Amino acid sequence: MIEYEGKAKQIIPTAEPDVAIQRFKDSATAFNGQKKAELEGKGEINAAMSAAAFLKLESAGISTHFMGLENARDMRIKRLKIVPLEVVVRNVVAGSLSKRLGLEEGVTLKFPIVETYFKRDDLGDPLVCDSHVFVLGICSEETLAELKTRALQVNSVLGPWFNEAGLTLVDFKLEFGFDESGELLLGDEVSPDTCRIWETESGRRLDKDVFRRDLGDPMVGYREVVDRLGITIGGEHA
Ligand code: C5P
């Protein structure tokens, strides 16, 4: 039984009420679902990469919803009440930051920046400032501050991990939620679907932008990312 069907993942209940299966699909979408494709192998790569990233983060003291891999595309997760914000961290100018502010893609930012977007497909996930978050009643001031702190902590763990593999973590999106005991945990996924990853030396794009911008076979880059990070498909490697 599928409880929730998203664009790239499904949520499947288990016998335990606080535990679910997050299944990574091969489906890819961009531009709020206007562009669609099936990319063979994407689900397994994203599951393996997310598992490895969550283990890496957990070992650095950052709590996540990750409980283990059931098989190559199914992840056991703690159920969360998701805070309806996409928390984006940026190290290098790309994507919507470049468009919105007229900055050149590829320029390294003086310091990592954190942005928040309201998760509302019908509004196209708008960028929201802190006052918007409070006016909308999305979360408390304390939670918002905590989300930003944690997002920067994630950046400081993932950034060096990527750098050592010859990769640059340009930007990424995170989602957080509260578990049944009220603890704030990192949820969702960490994969080339949700991160911009460039090969450091050449600047080659190894992420979903290849699909968004029709730059070739997206799976070539996705595979290169897991290979460089030493991640085995179907395994869990910190
Ligand atoms: O499009 P934009 O430049 O704002 O994206 C910033 C980062 O957030 C990118 O790594 C992109 O892949 C990710 N993102 C995402 N899901 C969205 C919007 C952005 O994973 N709905």
Side-chain angles (χ1 to χ4, degrees):
M1 184 199 122
I2 297 165
E3 180 182 301
Y4 171 79
E5 178 96 40
K7 294 183 198 112
K9 297 189 291 296
Q10 295 168 338
I11 298 294
I12 299 154
T14 68
E16 297 160 82
D18 302 333
V19 178
I21 298 294
Q22 175 166 260
R23 176 167 295 164
F24 291 77
K25 304 196 292 182
D26 285 347
S27 314
T29 66
F31 313 118
N32 206 5
Q34 288 170 48
K35 181 171 179 170
K36 288 187 193 146
E38 287 298 306
L39 303 176
E40 205 187 322
K42 180 174 82 78
E44 295 188 357
I45 289 177
N46 285 1
M49 165 129 182
S50 293
F54 285 138
L55 282 174
K56 188 98 192 156
L57 293 167
E58 290 277 358
S59 63
I62 299 166
S63 307
T64 79
H65 69 161
F66 178 69
M67 297 179 74
L69 281 180
E70 287 275 300
N71 57 53
R73 65 170 72 231
D74 291 343
M75 181 181 282
R76 280 170 72 79
I77 54 165
K78 287 181 198 149
R79 277 186 188 276
L80 300 181
K81 193 171 183 300
I82 291 286
V83 178
L85 285 177
E86 297 192 336
V87 184
V88 169
V89 179
R90 300 179 185 274
N91 297 300
V92 176
V93 175
S96 71
L97 180 69
S98 160
K99 284 216 181 83
R100 185 173 296 113
L101 302 186
L103 298 171
E104 196 189 333
E105 277 203 315
V107 175
T108 300
L109 293 159
K110 280 191 197 126
F111 49 85
I113 60 176
V114 186
E115 299 170 344
T116 48
Y117 294 82
F118 184 27
K119 267 171 73 72
R120 270 280 298 265
D121 277 347
D122 58 332
L123 298 176
D125 300 336
L127 178 67
V128 284
C129 65
D130 294 9
S131 308
H132 294 158
V133 171
F134 306 139
V135 162
L136 291 164
I138 293 174
C139 67
S140 69
E141 209 170 328
E142 187 195 356
T143 298
L144 184 61
E146 190 58 33
L147 294 181
K148 291 182 187 176
T149 304
R150 299 246 190 133
L152 288 171
Q153 284 169 350
V154 170
N155 191 43
S156 61
V157 174
L158 297 184
W161 184 40
F162 279 66
N163 288 343
E164 282 161 25
L167 301 170
T168 299
L169 182 57
V170 170
D171 58 32
F172 57 94
K173 185 259 312 190
L174 301 174
E175 295 185 25
F176 295 86
F178 293 97
D179 70 7
E180 87 291 346
S181 68
E183 199 195 339
L184 187 67
L185 304 179
L186 176 64
D188 196 46
E189 68 181 295
V190 177
S191 76
D193 270 9
T194 59
C195 303
R196 279 198 177 90
I197 305 161
W198 295 355
E199 203 229 357
T200 305
E201 225 173 271
S202 65
R204 247 178 339 114
R205 291 167 194 268
L206 306 174
D207 55 60
K208 197 168 147 185
D209 273 348
V210 175
F211 168 68
R212 293 189 188 100
R213 304 180 187 190
D214 291 320
L215 301 175
D217 177 0
M219 285 304 97
V220 172
Y222 280 50
R223 262 182 240 113
E224 184 170 338
V225 170
V226 286
D227 286 350
R228 278 176 175 266
L229 291 170
I231 296 167
T232 314
I233 305 304
E236 294 169 17
H237 296 268

